[in-house]
Amino acid sequence: MDSTEGISHTGFHAGSFSANDETRAAAEAARRRVRIMSATLHPTLPHHEPAAAPAARLTLKTDGSSRGLLDGAWWPRSRDLLSELPALTGVLAPLWGRITRIAVNPEHWPVIPRKVPVEGHIVRVGWFTPEIDPHKLLLLSYGTGRWDLLVIPPETGAASAARLMAAASDYDGPPLTASALIAADEARHGVSATGEPLDSDEAWEYEGGASAMSAAVPEQTGPPGRASRLTTGM
């Protein structure tokens, strides 16, 4: 009786160990299946390098002290200062030194960020009205100087933009404000800066002062004068 019970207990315990082994093997197989499914369902995505921002569309006077009220012209691609200013200051920094402050008139800018991160430093942005022309951008480089750029509306047609850039960067350019320069070009060519024909009311309005100013803006029929120009992003 004792020996039979001993054999019976021995057989029972041996069976228990075998069942546990099978359970562990099944659990490990299940974990492998989960890992395989996870690898299948969540593949490693390809790494994409960030696209470089397009170069600023810009033309500048570069030959010493110039006449006129403007130092050049800037043709942004949008009215988003936060995305447009880094490209602009990136071009200007090697020429004028680090740009530290920028000021605009808020009329044509829906959002004016107080600070814009640019190449490892911060450019502070402010706005003034009516001290700053709505079509002008004022830039300051600490300890170096101040510059004034004509801001050509982003929606301006290529032909109008080219004329305005040439006029604003002409060494002997007329002493016109940024808005007056745009109005003069519209009056001379009978179209708005966006390429739309002027209606009769607009044409009548420009028959006065703007048409007189257009006479002061020479047609750009040949290469630039004695001053060299820096033009980028075109």
Side-chain angles (χ1 to χ4, degrees):
M1 176 69 86
D2 293 339
S3 60
T4 304
E5 289 180 352
I7 294 173
S8 178
H9 284 295
T10 302
F12 172 78
H13 290 302
S16 298
F17 287 134
S18 176
N20 288 338
D21 291 341
E22 291 179 359
T23 301
R24 284 194 295 270
E28 179 61 29
R31 283 194 293 270
R32 284 198 298 270
R33 285 195 296 270
V34 169
R35 286 196 295 270
I36 293 171
M37 291 176 64
S38 298
T40 303
L41 295 176
H42 303 284
T44 301
L45 297 178
H47 176 70
H48 294 288
E49 292 294 334
R57 298 183 296 190
L58 178 71
T59 185
L60 303 172
K61 298 175 181 176
T62 60
D63 190 19
S65 299
S66 60
R67 304 173 187 176
L69 302 179
L70 298 166
D71 299 292
W74 176 45
W75 185 18
R77 291 176 168 80
S78 72
R79 296 191 184 276
D80 182 357
L81 285 173
L82 194 60
S83 65
E84 295 288 343
L85 290 180
L88 174 63
T89 57
V91 174
L92 297 178
L95 302 171
W96 295 348
R98 174 181 290 187
I99 302 299
T100 55
R101 293 183 179 272
I102 293 175
V104 299
N105 185 307
E107 180 175 333
H108 298 301
W109 303 103
V111 177
I112 300 177
R114 296 177 62 86
K115 299 178 181 179
V116 176
V118 174
E119 293 293 330
H121 72 283
I122 297 296
V123 174
R124 298 183 180 276
V125 182
W127 58 270
F128 299 94
T129 180
E131 293 86 354
I132 297 181
D133 187 299
H135 291 287
K136 188 174 76 172
L137 188 78
L138 187 156
L139 304 104
L140 296 172
S141 178
Y142 180 75
T144 304
R146 161 186 165 166
W147 297 269
D148 299 86
L149 296 180
L150 167 70
V151 179
I152 302 173
E155 61 274 13
T156 301
S160 295
R163 290 193 302 267
L164 290 168
M165 283 188 156
S169 60
D170 184 11
Y171 179 88
D172 294 314
L176 299 181
T177 65
S179 290
L181 193 60
I182 289 179
D185 185 79
E186 291 176 344
R188 179 187 292 277
H189 295 279
V191 295
S192 68
T194 59
E196 297 295 328
L198 299 178
D199 60 31
S200 57
D201 291 337
E202 290 174 316
W204 179 85
E205 179 181 350
Y206 287 137
E207 284 176 1
S211 60
M213 287 187 294
S214 69
V217 182
E219 284 283 1
Q220 301 292 329
T221 57
R226 62 175 177 142
S228 60
R229 290 186 187 136
L230 170 69
T231 301
T232 68
M234 300 297 291

